[in-house]
Amino acid sequence: MRAHGARRAAGRRHARRSHGTGGHLTRPGTARQQADPASAAPPAQAVTTDVAPRRVAGPYRWWDRVLVSDPGLGQLQAGWRTLVAMVTSLAVGYGMSHALAVPPMIGMMVGGMMGLMNGFAVAGNNWVTLARSTLWMPFPYTLVLWVAASLSGHRTLEIGLNVVALALTFLLARFGPLALLTGMMLFNGLMVGTIAGIPSALVGKAFAVALVTAAAVLAARLLLCHPMPREDLLRTQRAFVVEARRLVDITVDALDPDTAPKRVERRVNRSLRRLNLVTLTIDARLAQPEAATDPVVAELLHRHLFDAELALRGISQAVQVLTAQSPPEELRQSLAVGLLLARDTPPAEAGGLRPAVRTIREQADAILRDPRAAARDAESAVVARRVAELLESLADSLSGWLALGRRTPDTPAAVPFEPAVALENDRIPGSAAPMRRVLTARTRSGWQRAVPFVRAPLHAGVAAAIACPIADAIDPQRFYWGLVGVMITLFGTNTTHERLRKFGHRMIGTAAGAVIGVILLHWVGRDHVYWTLAVIVLGLAFGSWGMQRAYALWTTGLVVALVQLYGLTTPDSRMDDLLGERLLDNGIGILAAAACAALIFPLSTRSIAREAEHGYVRAVQNLLIQVSARWEEPDSPVRLRGAARAVDVALFEVAEVSRPVVPMPIGVRGRGSLNRMALLTTATGHARALASAADVDIDLPPRLSERLQLVTRTFTDSLRALDHHLVNGTAQGTWRPVGPMVRELRARLRPAAPGPRAQRLGTALRELEALDTTLAAFAERSGLPLASGTDRDAGRPGPAQRPAPAPAAGQGAARLVRTPSTQVAVAVGPATTGRAATGRATTGPAGGPARTDGTAAARLSGSVTCAAHPDGCPGVRITVINSRGQRVAQTHADAGRYRLGLMPGSHTLVVAAADHPPRAQSVTVHAAGADVRLDIRL
């Protein structure tokens, strides 16, 4: 009955879509793209420069490096928030102390706490959230100040209440940001009241100081740090563009025959990791309602960025394949020039990539048509054509991305955006989600349902009860250091490995901060209060900036600030002892917290890692379900790229949980975890390529359609068996590889449905097979048995050695030979590069600053002008590629004039300038020592 219904649905789709196509696969554009014109990439040459936001598509700027290292500038904003809040709060607290006749130290301590907690713990994307949180802080804070003043002299009760307040903070954290802020203000107020001994008579004035300071901090933040989620999104998109340019630049270095392959591979992998992190951050920012203007536009932006990242991955991997093949020099040069043009072409001028793509294709086609060409050269030409097609895909994706501002689709096929990841404290969450899932799975019945609520408070309370008496015995005035050690250990950590890493960061940061703080204290002195306050504020701002980068940076900044504060009341002879006691008390608190977390309702790191792997398998399973739905019913509202992005997020969780306490060389520790991560990383690449290639309308005969459903169903059943094994530790079923079925289906598909649509479906099936092969190896390493008689036939190469062909998308039938671990993205659509080259080469005197590459070099000089700047274009960068494809020189023009030295031979100059598409200009140097002039007009 089900098969009959499927055949009838297929018949209806065939009658509705295939008329006029003459085949079983429908038109070259997908149904989703036809129903939703904005989802189809527009012709690259039709995109105008005013489409792109200037912040995203503007020329390269010096601070772009900062933007890549901090997408969206979240870390810099945290430091700036703290700087503004601390300066405002200390100034207002000092002024209020004089106005209300309060001791200045108390006024600045109360006001400073408002600024510190506001900069550290209050974040939001709108002014309402900021105002509610900021103006609420004085109430719980001054309440516990009064409680502490009432308990003055009752030492045991004071310490006990501090322990209870810390446990209450972790309990309130379960109920949202405002409840967490309340708990932190209760804990901080009780601790400050115990330390400072504020009398009850001054509590009312302290409340007035706190309230006025909070209002002033709110005004300062709204004025100087106003939340701008849309701007943050644009900055993150800019970071994607900059990192993409950096990746393309690295591929140019990879083409140099003298470059060390291992070094290039490391650089490419680092750049790809950063690029993936930026795209995940963009998806997370699109989930914020204040950032994305329309859910459908957000979904289209997500799709184009996914395709652009996939194309960049394919370019980098194809170039790495080329480096191992020693391509012909002419082909290498055309590739280097084309990639440099792609690097320097602004996204809004993506149409300018067409000449570079055409040059690469012409060189590759000339080799493929030559009957005398060597087999290795023909193989390199195939890969070069692939790079050209991927450049087209990249241009189309970026063009469509920038054109989204002009078109908002309104069709039934449009799918609203659904986020795959949500930021936590401006960071992509790592081990928190797997830990919560493990805890929930173990506490679903009876009294155990209370465990998720009381587990963290119990850890904090018991650890504080252990650490406080020891810290009090060491120094009664500063027992709170043990409490702080407990608090910072349990906040933001979920595994024993993370707590031990935080312990190391705390110790290193405390030692470094003590050294730097003492040096600054001696340099500034103890009698310059304003300079001392400046160092305190800058230290806290530095720590807030570095907290998301490395916890040791936050500790360093904090200790630098505290050393200045201690210096006001502590003589030099006591400073070393004081800092040593702080280090000891912090260590005791951290170790006590780590021990309590490991003994009270424990969750082992291994169980959380298994849960992260379980989440990864579920994400792949969801992708397979959506692929099946996309092929069975093209109008179904599936999000293949979103499902693949969820696989990315799951891989990030596995990597975070599996990270060792101290990274060690491969030969020192076992290879098991490395191999498992490598398999999942490879599988994620195949999942991305599958999601892109599978987004295609198909209308196969019933027999082939049923066979295709059997493939996806068998794969899904294997994933369920692996999922059960990871969750329960017992094998229930086996992994049944689908490779033989996929190969049989592809053999039947070729004569049944020829054409570009069939090529794309064939690509999807190859990626499906490669994904199955990789996950089968992962399942085998996890202990799940494999079904016999499938992909383990005698004489067949293993998955690491078996080559798999990858087709070139679009025109032509070129193929790239690769292993399943090498991902090459699917590319479709037109693309381009700069205007026609104009210039003149003459012999004459050289001008400008000289740059020579050797004693026998010729001197090349000239000017770079345009209609708007006849005296010389600003911001000109010139890169020289020789006939071997090597980057032999790079310089910047000074006032529109340049000069450099070149060896005899043929060279290509790639000229990039602000507000101009890049240009490639050929020049030939005939003799050493000659003076050659080349004037270029953009």
Side-chain angles (χ1 to χ4, degrees):
M1 195 67 183
R2 180 178 177 181
H4 179 64
R7 283 194 295 270
R8 285 193 302 172
R12 287 195 301 270
R13 292 195 301 271
H14 180 75
R16 187 169 62 247
R17 293 184 172 87
S18 65
H19 59 85
T21 62
H24 292 288
L25 290 176
T26 57
R27 65 206 172 284
T30 66
R32 199 174 308 278
Q33 289 171 338
Q34 183 181 24
D36 181 3
S39 67
Q45 66 272 20
V47 179
T48 56
T49 56
D50 60 343
V51 173
R54 181 72 176 179
R55 284 191 179 275
V56 176
Y60 184 84
R61 299 167 296 219
W62 64 268
W63 62 82
D64 282 336
R65 290 181 179 273
V66 178
L67 199 59
V68 170
S69 64
D70 182 13
L73 299 183
Q75 297 167 12
L76 280 177
Q77 287 177 359
W80 173 245
R81 281 199 310 265
T82 303
L83 182 62
V84 169
M86 286 300 298
V87 170
T88 304
S89 61
L90 290 174
V92 174
Y94 182 76
M96 288 295 294
S97 68
H98 284 283
L100 299 177
V102 175
M105 184 60 70
I106 292 180
M108 296 179 70
M109 184 178 294
V110 172
M113 185 59 70
M114 295 298 105
L116 178 63
M117 294 308 298
N118 185 277
F120 178 72
V122 177
N125 285 332
N126 57 75
W127 70 271
V128 176
T129 302
L130 290 178
R132 182 173 61 245
S133 300
T134 302
L135 298 179
W136 168 245
M137 289 192 302
F139 294 92
Y141 184 74
T142 50
L143 173 64
V144 292
L145 282 181
W146 175 80
V147 173
S150 303
L151 296 175
S152 178
H154 300 81
R155 186 65 176 173
T156 304
L157 192 55
E158 284 179 341
I159 294 177
L161 279 179
N162 275 276
V163 171
V164 172
L166 182 59
L168 181 63
T169 300
F170 281 89
L171 178 63
L172 292 176
R174 297 278 305 183
F175 301 99
L178 189 60
L180 172 61
L181 182 63
T182 302
M184 296 178 72
M185 297 310 298
L186 291 173
F187 172 70
N188 290 330
L190 191 60
M191 188 170 62
V192 169
T194 303
I195 298 168
I198 300 175
S200 301
L202 293 180
V203 171
K205 293 183 177 181
F207 173 73
V209 172
L211 190 60
V212 172
T213 303
V217 168
L218 174 62
R221 281 197 57 175
L222 292 178
L223 180 63
L224 301 175
C225 317
H226 194 279
M228 295 184 291
R230 182 64 181 169
E231 288 293 312
D232 293 341
L233 175 62
L234 292 178
R235 292 191 193 101
T236 312
Q237 292 172 319
R238 173 71 179 182
F240 175 89
V241 172
V242 175
E243 188 58 50
R245 288 175 176 174
R246 179 189 292 180
L247 178 61
V248 173
D249 194 55
I250 294 172
T251 61
V252 177
D253 288 337
L255 289 170
D256 189 335
D258 298 330
T259 301
K262 291 294 184 182
R263 178 176 176 271
V264 170
E265 183 180 1
R266 287 194 298 269
R267 292 179 63 198
V268 167
N269 290 336
R270 282 198 301 268
S271 184
L272 287 174
R273 284 195 297 270
R274 285 193 297 262
L275 192 72
N276 184 249
L277 185 65
V278 172
T279 53
L280 287 176
T281 305
I282 292 175
D283 273 355
R285 292 196 185 281
L286 287 173
Q288 300 172 350
E290 298 86 358
T293 55
D294 183 270
V296 177
V297 172
E299 169 65 16
L300 296 176
L301 174 60
H302 154 77
R303 291 186 196 175
H304 287 307
L305 283 178
F306 183 92
D307 291 342
E309 183 194 5
L310 199 61
L312 287 164
R313 286 181 176 273
I315 290 170
S316 63
Q317 291 158 358
V319 169
Q320 288 184 59
V321 172
L322 273 172
T323 58
Q325 296 178 347
S326 299
E329 306 298 351
E330 298 83 358
L331 184 61
R332 191 195 299 270
Q333 184 188 29
S334 65
L335 281 166
V337 171
L339 291 171
L340 279 174
L341 288 167
R343 180 200 68 181
D344 293 332
T345 299
E349 295 283 349
L353 284 175
R354 186 175 298 279
V357 173
R358 186 185 305 118
T359 300
I360 295 173
R361 280 183 171 158
E362 288 174 355
Q363 291 285 350
D365 291 342
I367 295 174
L368 292 173
R369 287 193 300 266
D370 186 359
R372 298 169 297 176
R376 179 180 290 271
D377 293 347
E379 198 171 324
S380 298
V382 169
V383 183
R385 281 187 56 89
R386 183 65 184 151
V387 172
E389 291 158 1
L390 289 168
L391 284 173
E392 283 188 336
S393 177
L394 179 63
D396 288 339
S397 298
L398 292 178
S399 299
W401 168 33
L402 297 173
L404 288 177
R406 290 190 171 184
R407 290 178 301 199
T408 302
D410 185 16
T411 67
V415 181
F417 177 73
E418 295 178 8
V421 58
L423 295 179
E424 294 183 4
N425 296 324
D426 261 344
R427 298 183 63 182
I428 299 173
S431 59
M435 185 276 294
R436 286 193 289 262
R437 293 199 299 266
V438 172
L439 188 60
T440 303
R442 294 186 178 183
T443 57
R444 288 181 176 174
S445 61
W447 65 270
Q448 291 184 336
R449 285 180 290 185
V451 170
F453 294 91
V454 303
R455 180 175 178 267
L458 276 176
H459 292 167
V462 175
I466 295 171
C468 275
I470 301 175
D472 187 61
I474 295 173
D475 187 347
Q477 293 183 342
R478 296 179 175 85
F479 74 96
Y480 58 89
W481 286 343
L483 281 172
V484 172
V486 172
M487 182 181 66
I488 60 99
T489 302
L490 296 177
F491 261 124
T493 60
N494 303 289
T495 67
T496 303
H497 286 182
E498 290 178 346
R499 296 184 187 102
L500 292 178
R501 278 199 300 270
K502 204 164 192 179
F503 170 75
H505 277 255
R506 186 75 176 186
M507 297 298 102
I508 294 172
T510 300
V515 173
I516 298 172
V518 169
I519 293 174
L520 290 175
L521 180 62
H522 285 292
W523 180 57
V524 172
R526 302 168 184 267
D527 301 325
H528 305 283
V529 177
Y530 293 109
W531 281 106
T532 300
L533 290 176
V535 174
I536 291 174
V537 170
L538 292 175
L540 292 174
F542 171 80
S544 297
W545 166 81
M547 179 177 294
Q548 297 182 16
R549 188 175 294 269
Y551 185 73
L553 295 178
W554 157 250
T555 308
T556 301
L558 176 64
V559 175
V560 167
L562 290 177
V563 168
Q564 313 311 308
L565 190 62
Y566 298 153
L568 298 177
T569 57
T570 306
D572 288 339
S573 59
R574 278 278 299 149
M575 187 64 71
D576 293 341
D577 294 338
L578 187 64
L579 294 173
E581 290 172 4
R582 174 180 173 80
L583 193 67
L584 179 61
D585 288 344
N586 270 262
I588 291 171
I590 292 172
L591 293 177
C596 290
L599 297 174
I600 302 174
F601 301 120
L603 295 177
S604 67
T605 301
R606 180 177 178 81
S607 65
I608 297 176
R610 277 300 176 105
E611 176 59 33
E613 293 176 350
H614 156 68
Y616 181 90
V617 173
R618 293 294 297 271
V620 176
Q621 186 176 342
N622 179 59
L623 173 62
L624 261 293
I625 291 172
Q626 297 216 33
V627 167
S628 180
R630 177 73 177 92
W631 286 344
E632 291 180 27
E633 182 54 56
D635 290 334
S636 57
V638 299
R639 300 182 63 250
L640 295 183
R641 292 167 179 81
R645 189 60 75 206
V647 176
D648 266 330
V649 175
L651 178 69
F652 186 84
E653 293 177 356
V654 175
E656 286 294 299
V657 175
S658 303
R659 203 153 51 109
V661 178
V662 179
M664 300 293 287
I666 294 178
V668 176
R669 59 189 176 90
R671 294 175 176 265
S673 59
L674 287 177
N675 288 338
R676 292 168 70 87
M677 272 304 303
L679 287 170
L680 292 185
T681 302
T682 301
T684 303
H686 291 299
R688 295 189 199 102
L690 172 64
S692 179
D695 195 8
V696 56
D697 293 346
I698 62 172
D699 201 356
L700 297 173
R703 177 173 53 86
L704 294 182
S705 180
E706 290 173 3
R707 193 67 178 172
L708 189 59
Q709 294 176 27
L710 177 62
V711 170
T712 56
R713 189 164 58 248
T714 303
F715 198 164
T716 305
D717 290 342
S718 296
L719 288 171
R720 289 196 185 98
L722 176 59
D723 188 31
H724 182 275
H725 176 67
L726 291 175
V727 173
N728 302 294
T730 58
Q732 188 181 63
T734 61
W735 185 279
R736 300 184 60 83
V738 298
M741 289 188 288
V742 170
R743 288 190 289 272
E744 178 188 357
L745 181 61
R746 282 164 47 197
R748 296 181 180 181
L749 182 65
R750 289 190 190 99
R757 310 285 301 164
Q759 290 182 8
R760 190 164 176 181
L761 178 59
T763 300
L765 291 176
R766 275 187 292 274
E767 295 298 342
L768 188 69
E769 180 186 2
L771 178 63
D772 170 76
T773 302
T774 308
L775 289 180
F778 175 79
E780 191 173 24
R781 288 188 175 275
S782 301
L784 183 69
L786 302 185
S788 59
T790 53
D791 240 354
R792 306 291 184 182
D793 300 337
R796 291 187 64 86
Q801 293 83 30
R802 184 172 66 248
Q811 301 276 331
R815 298 180 181 274
L816 167 64
V817 178
R818 60 178 176 86
T819 62
S821 62
T822 301
Q823 294 301 310
V824 179
V826 176
V828 291
T832 57
T833 109
R835 303 172 184 172
T838 62
R840 52 191 178 87
T842 60
T843 302
R851 171 177 175 176
T852 61
D853 296 330
T855 57
R859 292 174 292 277
L860 175 66
S861 63
S863 63
V864 181
T865 60
C866 66
H869 304 92
D871 296 330
C873 286
V876 175
R877 177 171 58 178
I878 301 174
T879 307
V880 182
I881 301 296
N882 68 5
S883 59
R884 298 190 65 198
Q886 295 173 296
R887 182 163 25 188
V888 294
Q890 187 167 338
T891 188
H892 290 78
D894 183 11
R897 300 188 66 81
Y898 70 94
R899 181 175 180 175
L900 46 82
L902 297 179
M903 299 297 291
S906 297
H907 301 81
T908 301
L909 276 64
V910 178
V911 184
D915 301 323
H916 291 285
R919 272 201 39 211
Q921 175 69 56
S922 297
V923 62
T924 301
V925 177
H926 296 286
D931 289 336
V932 181
R933 182 175 180 84
L934 178 64
D935 294 331
I936 302 173
R937 187 169 180 82
L938 298 177

